[in-house]
Amino acid sequence: MSTTRRIGLLILDVVLAVAFGAVGFSEVHTSPIGLLPAAAGPAVAIVAGVALLFRRYEPLAVLAVTLLGHVLSGALAPALPALYTVARRHGTRRPTVLASVTALIVAVVPWGAGSSWGLFFARGVIVAVTMAVPLLYGLWTNQRAETLAALRERAEQAEREQGLRAAAAVEAERLRIAGELHDIVAHRISQITVLAGALEVSADGKPAEIAGTIRATGSLALTEMRELLGVLRARDGGEEAPLRPAPDLSAIAELIAEATEAGQRVDLSTPPELPPVPGPVGRAAHRLVREALTNAAKHAAGAEVRVALTVDGEHLDVDVRNGPGERTALAAAGSGFGLLGMRERVELAGGTVHSGPLPSGGYRVHASFPLAVAE
């Protein structure tokens, strides 16, 4: 709470204490109620007024003091702001209910005025209406404060959830970009590595041809990276970047051709006619074959790779396996992100994937996709 607000509340408490204390001081001169002699009434009224200065700290105790002042001298006015404070603090909970009932009984009983039932009933209606005003106002203020606090908490919760959603979206986008960069860089660099190895051992007049293929592969890698960076700039408000069509099953043959041109020995087996598949399945199958070829080039250079696409009922099976080969320097620098990203893509497309070494010393990656997955 700010210093200015504290000073304002203190001034308000002093004003209320003086005002209701003065009214109580006036009451003791005209009220027939009170257990103490009339001479003691002003002093009791002053004490009840001073007690109001502490109503924010101990509302129940201050209400008890003001009610006692009414019993002793007939000064009821100081009990009104005290009752309001109790209702404001505790709302409709048990302390307010007990305090209200007690205050009404104490205020209605004609203390020291004899057992006049007429006076009792006449005071009952007036006192009940008088005390209902601060009581209801206190309850309304309490309900309003709780409603505002709940709305504030909901707004803060919504803001926190929005921040979490934004952070999750940023993290998902970061992982997606990392996966795209990994697919582009790892695949093309592995091809360049295979070609460079072939260039080292080539002695039959092919160095120029191999070098040209290396140059073309490196140029293609740069083009793909520029396309991805163009997409990122477009999302940041730049010009829209041209996009090539998303890869699908038909693009796997082109992928095999690129790998063969780069020096890998790859055998592709497909059905006479490729089945129509949902977009996510086609993209996941293409990425799986590309990642498997990249890993084969890094971990089993020179080994033959067999890629098989088969349709079994309502499932598309993609099987990539390679024999044992030479482990390249790129294999030691692998992060394992490729296999993780491949598994995530397959699962997002509704498929399952299994990978592991073969008894012959090679490696196998097998995925199965349901053909009925909706776009």
Side-chain angles (χ1 to χ4, degrees):
M1 186 183 297
S2 64
T3 303
T4 303
R5 179 169 174 76
R6 287 195 184 97
I7 294 175
L9 292 177
L10 178 60
I11 294 175
L12 176 62
D13 288 342
V14 171
V15 171
L16 288 177
V18 172
F20 282 89
V23 174
F25 187 85
S26 175
E27 279 185 299
V28 298
H29 292 89
T30 58
S31 176
I33 297 174
L35 299 179
L36 293 179
V44 174
I46 293 175
V47 172
V50 172
L52 291 177
L53 294 174
F54 306 96
R55 64 188 179 89
R56 297 184 187 274
Y57 308 101
E58 295 292 339
L60 291 173
V62 171
L63 178 61
V65 170
T66 56
L67 290 176
L68 179 61
H70 169 68
V71 172
L72 297 177
S73 65
L76 182 61
L80 301 181
L83 181 60
Y84 159 81
T85 306
V86 172
R88 171 67 178 84
R89 172 72 61 84
H90 298 286
T92 57
R93 291 182 287 275
R94 185 176 181 180
T96 301
V97 176
L98 295 178
S100 302
V101 173
T102 302
L104 180 61
I105 294 174
V106 171
V108 169
V109 173
W111 304 95
S115 56
S116 174
W117 289 102
L119 181 62
F120 178 83
F121 288 108
R123 284 178 51 81
V125 177
I126 298 176
V127 169
V129 173
T130 302
M131 301 192 71
V133 173
L135 175 64
L136 294 177
Y137 183 57
L139 293 175
W140 177 83
T141 306
N142 173 269
Q143 187 63 39
R144 180 174 178 273
E146 290 185 353
T147 301
L148 291 177
L151 292 175
R152 189 179 301 111
E153 183 179 355
R154 290 180 184 177
E156 294 174 353
Q157 179 67 21
E159 185 176 355
R160 288 194 296 268
E161 291 177 355
Q162 182 179 5
L164 291 176
R165 286 194 297 268
V170 170
E171 178 67 11
E173 185 67 5
R174 185 186 69 81
L175 293 176
R176 189 194 69 80
I177 294 173
E180 294 290 340
L181 288 174
H182 173 273
D183 289 344
I184 292 172
V185 174
H187 181 65
R188 298 304 178 188
I189 293 299
S190 65
Q191 290 181 339
I192 293 174
T193 302
V194 172
L195 290 168
L199 183 61
E200 289 178 348
V201 300
S202 177
D204 53 359
K206 291 186 177 180
E209 180 183 347
I210 297 176
T213 306
I214 291 176
R215 180 185 61 80
T217 303
S219 177
L220 183 57
L222 290 176
T223 300
E224 291 175 340
M225 291 188 66
R226 288 193 187 100
E227 289 179 353
L228 180 59
L229 292 176
V231 173
L232 295 179
R233 292 193 185 98
R235 291 187 178 184
D236 289 337
E239 296 182 359
E240 185 176 355
L243 299 177
R244 64 176 60 189
D248 54 13
L249 288 183
S250 61
I252 292 180
E254 179 183 350
L255 192 64
I256 300 301
E258 291 178 357
T260 303
E261 186 178 356
Q264 284 186 276
R265 295 187 297 148
V266 185
D267 176 67
L268 175 62
S269 174
T270 63
E273 183 177 351
L274 290 175
V277 297
V281 172
R283 290 190 291 272
H286 182 276
R287 295 296 177 84
L288 181 141
V289 173
R290 184 165 69 174
E291 179 63 27
L293 291 175
T294 300
N295 290 339
K298 292 192 299 183
H299 297 272
E304 183 179 7
V305 183
R306 296 183 179 274
V307 180
L309 304 181
T310 58
V311 177
D312 180 15
E314 297 182 352
H315 290 82
L316 169 69
D317 292 330
V318 181
D319 188 87
V320 183
R321 61 181 69 194
N322 60 267
E326 181 181 353
R327 183 179 175 88
T328 67
L330 287 176
S335 62
F337 183 82
L339 287 175
L340 178 61
M342 177 180 64
R343 184 176 300 277
E344 289 177 348
R345 289 189 180 96
V346 171
E347 291 177 352
L348 286 175
T352 57
V353 61
H354 303 281
S355 60
L358 294 172
S360 60
Y363 200 84
R364 181 197 185 203
V365 177
H366 181 88
S368 179
F369 301 94
L371 297 180
V373 174
E375 287 276 5

